[in-house]
Amino acid sequence: MCRVFLENFDFEHQLTHEVYAATGGATPALNLNLASCWLGMAADGDQIYLPGSVSADFMTHLQSAGLPKVELIADWPERDAAAQMTFVPWGWSQATAKLANTQGFTVTAPDLDAVKTVNSRSFSFACESAWGLSLPGSCRVESLTELEAAVTELPRGQEKVETAWVLKADFSMSARERMLGRGALVATQIRDWAKKRFACQQPLFLEPWVQRTAEAGLQFEIPQQGEPEFVGLALLRCDDSGQYRGSRICVDAQTQETWQSAIEVGQRVAERVQHAGYFGPLGIDAMQYRDARGALQCRPIQDINARYTMGRLALGFARFLKLEQVASWLHFPWKEPYGQPFSKWLRCVADTQKSSTRFIATSPDQINGQALRLVNALLISETTEELYQAEETLMRAVSTLAETAC
């Protein structure tokens, strides 16, 4: 059955609005920018909802690169046609379920209350607390008084070095819906941010900021019946602020063994998520970090996402690789001042390579005549060493372009 993919990448904002009647969220432009990311999951004949104009050259490029022959649709199909299609959103919310039913799609959705429960940080915090996995000093706070007291009680590092910490909302994603702080005092900006969320009866979660060394997205599929399935892991690339910048798709046996303890905890999380009434895709972000003594530690439950994730979409590109090939899917900001189409610039970067690595643009240059603010590319190499070199070459080229445009 043909699938239709919806780009509600502001899913957590939808949940926040439903639970707390809070305003805000991702702009329509951001959802448009990310719509083509569904290429990682789509197959020939599937449709991606993208209510905007995209050049036919982009579709020709995808086919020549060996990616699926999908259709980008700006309007919903007629109800008779929709009834023969499966509706696939980034995540299930009340708004998404209403849209699917209104348009007449075939819908198999989990219980929406369960979706809210397992996507909340309250749920992941409960798992960490129950299994003794919390970072030292982590806690849930429900008022400014509790927040201020908790900040003063965070474990101190070296003398004369203020403790760094992060305050997260109950529904957050990537580097959004959080505030960074330092020391024993809560800055005015953070206090104002926290007040608004406490006024909506929204709990916040305080954590010490740790020196991460590696992150991985553990991907599971939760069936309605039967045991949860581990789909695989994708190593995450994040910038210094924690913003997602890509996934390394192919992981060797040694790397998977490194994350095996986190995978085992993830399996327990998946069972608990299923018991709560959720089924569908599940992504769990895990982290390796160094503690105050410099010892390497693992945090197996950094985030729980009962929805699709970029790591899950990245793993979908593995089906286009030949035996022994490795790949990365990289994301980064793009700006008009860069002065050239993304695809043309990417080809120029690829031409500087002395390896056989392929650079494939997986996002269009423009939508509705406007350059995208976020772009992404698939890198396919014959060896891991070549892939690492290609990653660094591309990211350095992006940094140089940004500095030149300033």
Side-chain angles (χ1 to χ4, degrees):
M1 182 178 286
C2 172
R3 295 173 294 176
V4 177
F5 294 93
L6 175 70
E7 77 311 358
N8 63 321
F9 297 100
D10 56 349
F11 167 68
E12 279 82 5
H13 290 294
Q14 292 177 330
L15 293 188
T16 301
H17 174 74
E18 293 171 8
V19 177
Y20 304 109
T23 58
T27 65
L30 178 60
N31 279 333
L32 282 179
N33 272 233
L34 295 175
S36 64
C37 290
W38 278 118
L39 289 167
M41 292 299 300
D44 288 351
D46 286 341
Q47 298 179 350
I48 298 174
Y49 182 68
L50 196 164
S53 175
V54 175
S55 170
D57 291 343
F58 177 61
M59 306 309 296
T60 302
H61 155 74
L62 294 179
Q63 294 180 29
S64 64
L67 296 183
K69 298 178 181 180
V70 300
E71 182 181 359
L72 303 180
I73 60 171
D75 299 299
W76 297 113
E78 298 293 333
R79 289 186 63 87
D80 288 346
Q84 304 302 315
M85 301 176 178
T86 300
F87 186 81
V88 183
W90 181 248
W92 283 103
S93 64
Q94 291 178 7
T96 301
K98 181 179 179 180
L99 172 64
N101 287 314
T102 298
Q103 299 299 328
F105 287 105
T106 297
V107 176
T108 304
D111 178 80
L112 297 181
D113 287 336
V115 173
K116 295 174 187 175
T117 296
V118 298
N119 273 289
S120 68
R121 195 162 297 280
S122 295
F123 184 85
S124 60
F125 180 77
C127 290
E128 284 191 300
S129 298
W131 300 332
L133 301 173
S134 301
L135 293 175
S138 296
C139 62
R140 170 182 172 132
V141 293
E142 299 185 21
S143 69
L144 282 176
T145 300
E146 290 183 2
L147 172 60
E148 291 170 339
V151 167
T152 62
E153 294 173 3
L154 283 171
R156 301 299 174 209
Q158 299 176 359
E159 291 185 6
K160 299 182 180 180
V161 176
E162 292 184 323
T163 301
W165 45 268
V166 58
L167 188 63
K168 299 179 179 180
D170 205 15
F171 294 99
S172 60
M173 70 301 293
S174 190
R176 297 185 291 277
E177 275 299 292
R178 74 175 196 188
M179 297 293 281
L180 301 179
R182 181 176 293 276
L185 297 177
V186 181
T188 300
Q189 183 182 9
I190 299 176
R191 288 173 61 89
D192 292 343
W193 181 86
K195 280 180 182 179
K196 293 178 181 178
R197 284 144 186 84
F198 289 143
C200 295
Q201 285 72 55
Q202 179 179 3
L204 298 177
F205 296 85
L206 180 69
E207 300 173 1
W209 185 264
V210 295
Q211 180 189 351
R212 68 179 183 274
T213 59
E215 292 179 275
L218 315 179
Q219 308 302 325
F220 294 85
E221 185 66 27
I222 312 297
Q224 290 180 267
Q225 302 290 334
E227 295 183 0
E229 174 192 1
F230 175 62
V231 177
L233 70 87
L235 296 180
L236 302 182
R237 286 195 61 138
C238 297
D239 60 22
D240 292 340
S241 70
Q243 185 73 44
Y244 175 77
R245 288 291 173 248
S247 297
R248 189 167 292 154
I249 299 167
C250 297
V251 177
D252 57 37
Q254 181 178 354
T255 301
Q256 182 150 328
E257 179 62 28
T258 299
W259 293 95
Q260 187 57 38
S261 61
I263 295 172
E264 292 171 1
V265 172
Q267 193 69 43
R268 294 171 65 188
V269 172
E271 293 168 359
R272 192 161 178 166
V273 166
Q274 186 182 47
H275 183 73
Y278 174 81
F279 61 85
L282 175 72
I284 303 171
D285 290 344
M287 174 178 60
Q288 293 175 347
Y289 68 96
R290 294 197 180 279
D291 61 21
R293 301 187 306 276
L296 192 63
Q297 304 288 349
C298 178
R299 185 186 186 188
I301 312 174
Q302 185 175 4
D303 286 300
I304 297 175
N305 300 297
R307 55 166 171 78
Y308 280 97
T309 65
M310 289 298 176
R312 180 65 178 271
L313 271 55
L315 288 181
F317 286 111
R319 62 202 154 119
F320 304 114
L321 305 182
K322 297 178 182 179
L323 188 65
E324 303 299 330
Q325 285 185 327
V326 292
S328 287
W329 190 37
L330 301 183
H331 299 234
F332 42 88
W334 193 257
K335 299 179 181 180
E336 288 278 8
Y338 292 172
Q340 56 185 313
F342 165 60
S343 61
K344 179 181 178 180
W345 173 83
L346 187 65
R347 287 194 298 270
C348 291
V349 175
D351 289 342
T352 67
Q353 290 289 290
K354 296 180 180 180
S355 69
S356 58
T357 297
R358 295 176 62 200
F359 290 64
I360 304 171
T362 50
S363 56
D365 289 331
Q366 295 183 335
I367 297 178
N368 293 330
Q370 300 293 318
L372 274 66
R373 291 182 297 159
L374 293 169
V375 294
N376 44 76
L378 180 65
L379 277 56
I380 302 177
S381 300
E382 301 301 322
T383 68
T384 301
E385 181 179 359
E386 281 189 356
L387 179 64
Y388 292 176
Q389 292 176 350
E391 286 179 354
E392 294 307 317
T393 295
L394 183 57
M395 300 312 289
R396 281 200 305 270
V398 173
S399 297
T400 299
L401 194 63
E403 292 170 359
T404 303
C406 292

